[in-house]
């Protein structure tokens, strides 16, 4: 995965975002971007690949919209998207990608 540092993307309040094979990291978060953050973004890349990228983005938007309607709170909705829950739950397990089962995000429901 290639890391790209950018001053305006991702938007303020976010440290990094994975799009295809690139991880975009905000310049102001460069020093705070850890190996756990990198692993988190690599988990998203695995999710993207198994859904042929476009499927990931569509399901992510749908899941976020539904969780936003349910929680009516941006941060809580974001943290409860199934893809984010898997990535946050496993970001400190540096071996997770090697033993991750396909579609592992399906086991995460709203909390």
């Amino acid at each position: 995965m290639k890391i790209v540092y950018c001053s305006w993307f991702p938007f303020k309040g976010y440290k990094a975002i994975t799009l295809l094979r690139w991880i975009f990291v905000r310049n102001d978060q460069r020093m705070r971007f850890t190996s756990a953050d990198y692993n988190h973004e690599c988990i998203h890349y695995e999710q993207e690949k198994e859904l042929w990228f476009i499927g990931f983005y569509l399901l992510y938007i749908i899941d976020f919209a539904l969780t936003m309607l349910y929680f009516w709170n941006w941060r809580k909705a974001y943290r409860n998207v199934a893809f984010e829950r898997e990535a946050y739950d496993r970001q400190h397990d540096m071996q997770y990608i090697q033993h991750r089962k396909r579609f592992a995000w399906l086991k995460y429901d709203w909390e």
Side-chain angles (χ1 to χ4, degrees), residues 81-95:
V81 169
F83 301 113
E84 293 298 340
R85 294 203 45 229
E86 178 191 8
Y88 278 111
D89 191 38
R90 302 300 184 161
Q91 69 186 10
H92 295 287
D93 179 354
M94 298 305 161
Q95 307 305 313

Side-chain angles (χ1 to χ4, degrees), residues 2-16:
K2 178 146 174 61
I3 298 176
V4 178
Y5 296 100
C6 187
S7 60
W8 58 272
F9 188 73
F11 303 116
K12 196 167 177 87
Y14 294 93
K15 191 184 293 186

Side-chain angles (χ1 to χ4, degrees), residues 5-6 13-14 17 27 31 48 60 65-66 77 80-82 97 100-102 106 110:
Y5 296 100
C6 187
Y14 294 93
I17 187 171
N27 275 337
M31 300 307 289
E48 290 175 5
Y60 192 106
L66 291 173
N80 276 280
V81 169
I97 298 294
R100 178 184 180 269
K101 294 193 182 349
R102 288 175 51 93
L106 284 170
W110 297 347

Side-chain angles (χ1 to χ4, degrees), residues 52-63:
W52 296 13
F53 298 96
I54 193 70
F56 170 83
Y57 299 118
L58 289 172
L59 286 176
Y60 192 106
I61 290 167
I62 291 167
D63 196 4

Side-chain angles (χ1 to χ4, degrees), residues 36-96:
D37 295 322
Y38 181 80
N39 197 41
H40 177 106
E41 298 305 325
C42 288
I43 293 167
H44 284 316
Y45 180 63
E46 294 301 314
Q47 296 165 340
E48 290 175 5
K49 287 191 311 185
E50 69 194 10
L51 291 168
W52 296 13
F53 298 96
I54 193 70
F56 170 83
Y57 299 118
L58 289 172
L59 286 176
Y60 192 106
I61 290 167
I62 291 167
D63 196 4
F64 179 80
L66 291 173
T67 55
M68 187 64 181
L69 287 171
Y70 183 79
F71 292 110
W72 211 245
N73 176 294
W74 185 277
R75 184 120 184 102
K76 199 164 189 178
Y78 162 75
R79 288 301 294 257
N80 276 280
V81 169
F83 301 113
E84 293 298 340
R85 294 203 45 229
E86 178 191 8
Y88 278 111
D89 191 38
R90 302 300 184 161
Q91 69 186 10
H92 295 287
D93 179 354
M94 298 305 161
Q95 307 305 313
Y96 182 64

